[in-house]
Amino acid sequence: MPPVDRLKPIRAASSESGYTLIEFMREFPDDATCLEHLWRSRYAPDGKTAHCPMCDTERGFKRYQTKQRRQSWTCTGCGHHLHPTAGTIFEKSSTSLHLWFYAIYLMTSTRCGISAKQLERELGVKYRTAWRMFNKIRNYLMADDGGPLTGAVEVDETLLGGKIRNDARRKREALGWSPKRWDQEHKTMVFAAVERDGRVRARVIPNSSGPTLRDVIRENVEPGSILYTDEWGGYRSLAGEYEHRTIRHRDRIYVDGLTHTQTVEGFFGSAKNAIRGVYHGVSIIWLQGYLNEYAWRYNHRGDRNTMFRDLLNAAATTRL
Ligand SMILES: [Zn+2]
């Protein structure tokens, strides 16, 4: 075995991590390198020339030291400023770019995600700041990539959240509440569509009525795809637009050849576990953000090595 250089740690081949903290720190040691990265990925791949919208041509750009420590590059032809953070989730944030990049690193280096509480500790920022950073990352960078789902697509809906404690349950029962009423008032309806061996979409929906399901399916699944659902009546109105196949759960049939909804049910099962395990229950208003994160992880499950890059690219290309 070759001697180990302790000053240059290398990743063990057996390590699951595709990008270690040491590697992150080496590539992004400070705020300036993060800004430079954004500058290059958004405007100037070589770091020097970019398209100036004022001159309407390629120009040399320079970074001048200013008193305000402006985060911009200046066109050497006309003096126009380009701001690499403009229009991104980092714009006008009082949190340093380095901390933002580190937060993105942390989110993509953990298997099941981390809580805002943990981020608060890791970054040394206020809880509210950690919380806001997470929401921006979830709602902008982890929102869907790619077009509508196609091919063989399973869809289903389920109720999430609102786990009832025993004492609370007894009180409600004493008031004559049925379990169904608890579900209606405290749980949130969630819709998911999954391509077999492919991508997933998950959405908070107001109810499971026919019109609601039809809209959310049209938005997320390419017409003409094969749609697998259970026998719920809300799915009936889709015939004509999709090749619709139904599995009769009522008759205790769960798999009939290719007709089943096991993939989407598996997605719901693991999403429920993840939300329970990492986040200890989630308030309804934040649920869509968590679903985005969970679906994003599912969609990137094969390429752990590139998750950090993918999210940085999304940060450079997503407009608020
Ligand atoms: Zn110019």
Side-chain angles (χ1 to χ4, degrees), residues 52 55 75 78:
C52 174
C55 303
C75 171
C78 73

Side-chain angles (χ1 to χ4, degrees), residues 29-307:
D30 51 29
D31 224 50
T33 44
C34 299
L35 188 65
E36 177 84 21
H37 176 87
L38 269 188
W39 165 244
R40 283 171 183 260
S41 51
R42 288 192 64 191
Y43 296 108
D46 68 352
K48 294 187 196 100
T49 44
H51 181 85
C52 174
M54 291 302 157
C55 303
D56 196 22
T57 182
E58 292 288 306
R59 289 283 194 200
F61 272 76
K62 281 223 162 87
R63 182 102 204 270
Y64 294 109
Q65 292 300 327
T66 59
K67 268 201 195 119
Q68 308 92 316
R69 293 200 288 161
R70 221 182 260 144
Q71 294 193 317
S72 64
W73 272 253
T74 309
C75 171
T76 52
C78 73
H80 180 69
H81 300 296
L82 283 177
H83 298 258
T85 59
T88 70
I89 61 165
F90 314 119
E91 186 177 16
K92 293 187 183 134
S93 170
S94 51
T95 305
S96 81
L97 264 185
H98 198 209
L99 287 186
W100 272 108
F101 275 45
Y102 184 44
I104 290 173
Y105 167 77
L106 286 173
M107 281 180 102
T108 53
S109 64
T110 46
R111 185 188 281 274
C112 322
I114 69 171
S115 64
K117 196 73 198 154
Q118 182 72 19
L119 190 70
E120 174 197 9
R121 283 192 289 261
E122 297 268 357
L123 300 192
V125 296
K126 284 190 194 134
Y127 182 70
R128 269 181 42 176
T129 307
W131 199 202
R132 245 187 260 136
M133 292 170 87
F134 266 170
N135 274 308
K136 285 234 163 109
I137 293 171
R138 288 192 183 111
N139 292 328
Y140 292 102
L141 308 191
M142 291 176 160
D144 313 316
D145 35 354
L149 307 183
T150 59
V153 180
E154 298 177 22
V155 307
D156 198 7
E157 80 295 327
T158 191
L159 286 166
L160 268 185
K163 202 180 151 212
I164 188 166
R165 295 189 319 274
N166 277 334
D167 56 333
R169 180 192 300 276
R170 277 191 289 274
K171 258 184 221 161
R172 300 297 188 292
E173 278 169 3
L175 289 169
W177 280 35
S178 67
K180 199 172 173 193
R181 175 152 175 214
W182 173 268
D183 281 355
Q184 278 164 352
E185 304 211 356
H186 291 273
K187 293 192 174 187
T188 310
M189 189 68 74
V190 173
F191 164 89
V194 188
E195 290 171 343
R196 286 187 182 158
D197 296 322
R199 300 165 296 155
V200 66
R201 291 282 165 77
R203 290 277 183 283
V204 170
I205 52 174
N207 53 58
S208 58
S209 71
T212 301
L213 290 171
R214 199 166 55 225
D215 287 351
V216 74
I217 288 172
R218 276 182 186 152
E219 257 169 52
N220 291 287
V221 186
E222 183 95 343
S225 306
I226 306 171
L227 217 54
Y228 295 98
T229 74
D230 60 23
E231 70 272 48
W232 170 242
Y235 293 113
R236 263 178 222 147
S237 59
L238 291 155
E241 292 171 66
Y242 298 93
E243 200 176 310
H244 186 188
R245 306 202 181 140
T246 309
I247 189 82
R248 292 188 57 84
H249 287 172
R250 203 178 298 133
D251 301 339
R252 305 199 169 195
I253 300 169
Y254 296 97
V255 181
D256 180 7
L258 280 175
T259 304
H260 64 80
T261 52
Q262 308 271 302
T263 323
V264 66
E265 283 163 37
F267 172 78
F268 277 141
S270 47
K272 281 178 187 177
N273 274 335
I275 288 173
R276 214 177 289 135
V278 180
Y279 305 111
H280 310 293
V282 170
S283 159
I284 287 173
I285 43 172
W286 309 116
L287 188 57
Q288 184 61 57
Y290 285 100
L291 290 174
N292 286 354
E293 178 178 351
Y294 201 74
W296 190 88
R297 284 179 187 284
Y298 182 96
N299 293 340
H300 291 73
R301 63 198 178 283
D303 46 348
R304 276 181 65 78
N305 293 348
T306 63
M307 281 167 85

